[in-house]
Amino acid sequence: MYLEQSFHKQISFSSFLFENDFLALFPEIFLVSTGIFLLVYGVITSTSKSLNYPLLSYNISWYAIMALLYTSLLIYNSPINNAVLLYNTLVIDDFTQFVKITCLLSSACCISMSLQYIQTQGDNAFETLILILFAVSSMLFLTSSADFISLYLAIELQSLSFYVLAALKRNSEFATEAGLKYFLLGAFSSGLLIFGCSLIYGYTGVLSFSECAKIFAAGVVPFDGIQAVTTESALVSLGMVFILAGFLFKIAAAPFHMWSPDVYQGAPTPITAFFVITPKIALFAVFLRVFLQSFYDLFPIWQTLVIFASLASMLVGALAALSQSQIKRLMAFSSINHVGYLLAGFACASIEGIQALSIYLIVYIFMNIAVFSILLCNMRHTHNNGLPRIKYITDLAFLAKTNPLLAFTFSIAMFSMAGIPPLAGFYSKAYIFFAALGSNLGVLAVVGVCTSVVSCFYYLRLIRIMYFSTPKTWCSTARVPRTNALALAISLFFLIFCMAYPAPLHLITHKIAIALCV
Amino acid sequence: MYLLVLLLPLLASISAGLFGRFLGFRGAALLTTSSVFLSFVISCIAFYEVALSGVTCSIEWMPWFFSEMFDAGWGFYFDSLTVIMLCVITSISTLVHLYSISYMEADPHLPRFMAYLSIFTFFMLMLVTADNFLQMFFGWEGVGLASYLLINFWFTRLQASKASIKAMLVNRVGDFGLALGVMAIFSVFKTVDFYTVFALAAHQSEAVLIFCNIEFHALTVICILLFVGAVGKSAQLGLHTWLPDAMEGPTPVSALIHAATMVTAGVFMIARCSPLFEYAPKALVVVAIVGAMTCFFAATTGVVQNDLKRVIAYSTASQLGYMIFACGISQYTVGVFHLMNHAFFKALLFLSAGSVIHSLSDQQDMRKMGGMAKLLPFTYAMMSIGSFSLVGFPFLTGFYSKDVILEVAFARYTWDANFAYLFGSICVALTSYYSFRLLFLTFIAPTNAYKSTVKAAHDAPFLLALPLFLLSIGSIFVGYCAKDMMIGLATPFWANAIFVLPQNNVLLESEFIPQSQKFLPLIATVAGAVIAYFFSVYSTKTSFALKQIPFFRSLYSFLNKRWYFDKVYNDYISKNTMSFGYNVSFKALDKGFFEICGPTGIAYSFPALAQYWSRLQSGLIYHYAVVMLLGLTMLVLVSSAWSVLENVLDSRILFIYAICFLFYNYYNSASRALGSTENLEK
């Protein structure tokens, strides 16, 4: 009876194919259509003479936050949690759902942290928010993508949004320069990526990740029918290297990191926060899928490359940051350093490695939310009521004197980034090192610890500046906006108490690691 | 009760040392002296119970180290050997405490001094009562520490500080040997417990031990290493240099530590380990030869010393040589007997010398004394008793042990025993010579002292005189009373405390050596005394004339300069070690290599590296593109040619590269800094 019923369901599943697809893709469809609706709403309203050309960015920001939150609720309550959709183009499982929700919530957080900034900077381009929404929806597709075409399309949509976002401040020389650099180099890397995909396609004839996996798995065994693939495996691995290079560029890992300090520094601070916080997890999600599913049988080759990139990122991130004097640039190198650790988890390619990587990603997001929600607070000169930004690291000097609580919070975030024991940063780093040691990658663990020590230097230097040096100009913080305060409080709570009760984090990450690996 | 023997001096020392300022001058003195005296009383009771009644006592007190097979606890073992040492130590210590009250009365740091003396007593008791090697080592190091503190008691005197450091360092060499010996014992026997080790000695007599990568007979190695410890502590030839210098300390210290007790620890240890030494005949040969040579060396040197205390110090070293070579020919009982007798008459001699020095306003040079017999009759009498006992005048204490040593040496017909006998006999004459020379120069010869000192000279006050008197009793009667108890075949005194293989026991044969041999020591003694009288009093012109002859002159300086031992040590060992310590280990390694690898190198290279990286970040877009292209090429290279690269990128090569990198940056920055200063000068 039961068997019959399930058989019947299967029949109905295949007969009403698109019904299920719509159901599964509803969150993405909602987000994209909200974006389009908001665009239309913005265009019509902001040019309306009868409404007196209203400023819409604050208004649309809240709409965007709402859209993101609703989308995450939709995903959370999705009726279908495991499916392959649209003729093997997209896939949904525990892993993608988790990554999507994280993306959505962290983007909502980024927007809410920037609300005051948007208001006070007189930056009235409401298109920013629309672009952010499109970027986020592209990340959702990216996370779900199950073949090279959808992967490439999603990445391109995301990148295009990012280029525009970076250059959004049209009157700023830095921003336009950043946007242009990002665009040119991004185009270069997209070229590498698509070239890699086409090489793979050329020698296998398939685009789907799972089909690829089957072919490579057979390619290991000498077998007449697929002998051709085996002999051409050097070219396959070449294609893989190109795909990997594209990926490394997107996450700003070491030999392909050059764009990130310039772009992060040049872009407006809310955009920088968005760049730092949100896209990494989506990119890692899809490339983990590509490398663990399609290229798992080429593991020895790409592991070496990932180790190499990981070592290079750790070293570059730790060393180059030593001589940085601008806070955003410093954060850029810091994120390169963190990417090195993430790649160490990647290189393990074991369940522990994936779990450690996921934990690290989440902790990384929380740490950066804490840091940027402070950097996005408005400052106030004591004399003239100007609104300077924290630009250089020496500008932090006043913080401990005029706002000790904020300084303390910033110190906690820095300590966590440096990996000081009772905080979440230490936990995540230690987990990565254990995973690396467990996979016999002692080099990564040792170099990781060493670079962590070096990076301690510049994190702790910020704290030293705050507490022990006298500022040149005295500032005080304006009232910390409620949204920033909320983000700050949540992230701080997480950073401090993660060690006390890490079980939920562990369970979730274990579940997603299992979903990806099995 | 038995533990009280150890506890009392420790408590007294802690009280006087830490709370001396509350106890005050008299309180500290009274407390320490009475504690040690009580300890002496209990020791006498223990002596009765253990030695006379034959009830050995073993106390397992508490665990200390328990790690797998290694089981060293705090335990105490009282057998005949221990209690005889207890009596000697506590009695001499009591008398020295008493003597110090008067001798040091003018010193503001008396409580500290008394505390040091008591802590020394405690450590010495710990040494002799230990029931395992580790605890003995604890006591051994403790007495070394106390000796260091006491030699350096007047720490503002440069000579005292130098002597104390010398004592400490020279003793380290010996202690190192002892520690190695204990480790070797552990590796062979898997325990450091006395009972177990001694019970297994026969079983392990064929065992081999790999030492310095060479295979040796285990017990021989163990015994020689233990003997190295004894050489250090008992000032045997080679490591003897610290003992004469240790005379820089206050005289009571010299009497207690550097004559009566601590320096005999080596002899005690050899006697304690007799079961081990018995099964290591080669080690016994070494012991006998070194002992005999020390005996001879110290006697010849003592002959021409002019410092009162130094003469006695060399005499001590010489007598220690006797004890050691007695042990070396397996006559441990005789060695310990001589140890006990020596403690009494040598303490008497030192304390009398202290009395002389005290009354002559701290004058120690014998050439500037003379004729003191009339001024210090009591001290003169005491010193004479001590000297007569030392030279082995018939029926005094020294006679009974020293003559037995020579007799057993004669009766044992091995080459090492013959060697020891020959040197020992010569030393009898030398001993007699320097002892009487000391007596004559100080008390009989025409005076050379300053008028002011002579005017102030006074005989020993009561508190100084009492210990001297008691010791003189000991110096006269102890040998006679204890002779039949401690040596001889029939005595059950030692029970199992000392083990001698039957074939090594020659006490019976020594009873049957020619009568002429038995008289020889007496003749030698008299001859030495006569010669001393001739050169020191009767015809000083002859001795002066002899010194004018080049041969005798060089002989004199050779002996007076202690056979140039210190000079050789300083020139060939200390100097080289110092220069190694400064040039190599400090300058080249510590401040050089390790600093560049560590803090300095990192401090120089990381900013340079960071600068370099930031310069790479040029901001030019085609640079970035080229870097990306290079990165891609490298990835392709790595993916396709990893099997080749693997060999090139060996982790060891990378390590060397990293080290070179640190050095390069250091010197680069250093030379740049140098260049900039040069530019400034221009």
Side-chain angles (χ1 to χ4, degrees), chain A residues 109 145 245 250 294 321 360 413 465 493:
Chain A
C109 226
S145 57
K250 298 294 176 199
S294 310
Y360 200 100
I465 287 170
F493 182 83

Side-chain angles (χ1 to χ4, degrees), chain B residues 560-611:
Chain B
N560 190 263
K561 299 284 177 198
R562 304 155 239 166
W563 293 33
Y564 297 117
F565 260 101
D566 287 84
K567 192 167 166 56
V568 169
Y569 280 2
N570 281 341
D571 285 2
Y572 290 97
I573 298 177
S574 308
K575 228 176 184 176
N576 290 340
T577 314
M578 286 276 282
S579 90
F580 174 85
Y582 181 70
N583 287 321
V584 179
S585 70
F586 178 71
K587 258 167 73 180
L589 286 178
D590 208 42
K591 295 297 283 182
F593 185 73
F594 294 132
E595 280 227 339
I596 292 177
C597 280
T600 334
I602 288 172
Y604 275 110
S605 42
F606 273 62
L609 205 60
Q611 287 290 325

Side-chain angles (χ1 to χ4, degrees), chain B residues 40-273:
Chain B
F40 167 64
V41 171
I42 299 169
S43 300
C44 289
I45 299 171
F47 181 77
Y48 171 76
E49 284 187 0
V50 174
L52 300 185
S53 308
V55 187
T56 52
C57 171
S58 168
I59 303 169
E60 294 283 340
W61 189 41
M62 57 187 271
W64 184 14
F65 288 110
F66 276 90
S67 171
E68 293 188 3
M69 298 290 282
F70 191 69
D71 56 340
W74 292 103
F76 301 94
Y77 181 57
F78 296 85
D79 62 358
S80 311
L81 183 62
T82 303
V83 289
I84 203 90
M85 291 299 290
L86 282 187
C87 285
V88 171
I89 293 160
T90 49
S91 59
I92 305 281
S93 179
T94 308
L95 294 175
V96 168
H97 272 79
L98 201 60
Y99 183 90
S100 307
I101 297 173
S102 169
Y103 190 84
M104 304 290 286
E105 66 189 344
D107 197 292
H109 298 294
L110 185 89
R112 180 162 65 93
F113 184 73
M114 296 311 244
Y116 287 167
L117 281 184
S118 292
I119 200 77
F120 166 77
T121 313
F122 165 73
F123 279 125
M124 193 67 206
L125 293 173
M126 190 58 116
L127 196 164
V128 296
T129 55
D131 80 338
N132 61 59
F133 279 99
L134 201 71
Q135 194 181 332
M136 188 186 78
F137 190 70
F138 169 72
W140 191 274
E141 291 299 312
V143 291
L145 169 72
S147 155
Y148 167 81
L149 291 172
L150 281 167
I151 297 169
N152 203 10
F153 180 71
W154 289 315
F155 51 81
T156 48
R157 285 181 59 208
L158 182 62
Q159 286 304 326
S161 295
K162 278 161 76 177
S164 64
I165 290 171
K166 187 172 181 181
M168 200 67 173
L169 291 180
V170 173
N171 266 308
R172 284 284 76 70
V173 180
D175 294 346
F176 192 67
L178 182 68
L180 282 180
V182 175
M183 291 174 207
I185 284 173
F186 181 71
S187 94
V188 172
F189 294 96
K190 306 295 175 213
T191 180
V192 290
D193 210 37
F194 279 152
Y195 329 117
T196 322
V197 171
F198 297 154
L200 287 174
H203 178 67
Q204 293 285 0
S205 60
E206 299 301 321
V208 289
L209 178 72
I210 293 172
F211 184 72
C212 295
N213 252 351
I214 306 169
E215 199 174 81
F216 287 110
H217 180 224
L219 286 182
T220 306
V221 172
I222 289 170
C223 289
I224 288 177
L225 287 172
L226 291 179
F227 181 59
V228 170
V231 166
K233 198 57 88 187
S234 292
Q236 296 297 294
L237 196 65
L239 299 177
H240 64 278
T241 51
W242 66 271
L243 184 58
D245 288 4
M247 295 305 138
E248 292 297 337
T251 308
V253 173
S254 310
L256 178 62
I257 299 184
H258 306 120
T261 53
M262 185 189 84
V263 287
T264 59
V267 181
F268 164 79
M269 193 262 289
I270 294 175
R272 174 60 93 205
C273 299

Side-chain angles (χ1 to χ4, degrees), chain A residues 181 258 262 308 319 323 329, chain B residues 609 614 617 619 624 628 634:
Chain A
K181 271 181 191 165
M258 303 292 267
D262 288 3
F308 172 75
L319 293 177
S323 61
R329 230 177 148 74
Chain B
L609 205 60
S614 351
Q617 201 81 34
Y624 293 4
M628 273 176 70
M634 194 173 310

Side-chain angles (χ1 to χ4, degrees), chain A residues 204 235 247 259 278 351 479:
Chain A
T204 60
L235 289 161
F247 166 56
W259 58 274
T278 311
I351 293 183
R479 186 190 165 88

Side-chain angles (χ1 to χ4, degrees), chain B residues 340-362:
Chain B
M340 181 179 79
N341 296 345
H342 172 257
F344 286 104
F345 59 69
K346 193 47 65 70
L348 174 61
L349 276 175
F350 260 119
L351 294 185
S352 309
S355 174
V356 172
I357 293 164
H358 199 61
S359 61
L360 290 182
S361 320
D362 298 332

Side-chain angles (χ1 to χ4, degrees), chain A residues 5 17-18 21 71-73 87 96 99 112 177 234 245 281 361 378 385 392 495:
Chain A
Q5 213 173 17
L17 183 70
F18 284 102
D21 282 3
T71 314
S72 61
L73 278 178
Y87 294 115
T96 57
V99 170
S112 66
E177 186 192 339
I281 186 162
L361 265 172
N378 278 327
N385 265 347
Y392 295 98
L495 292 183

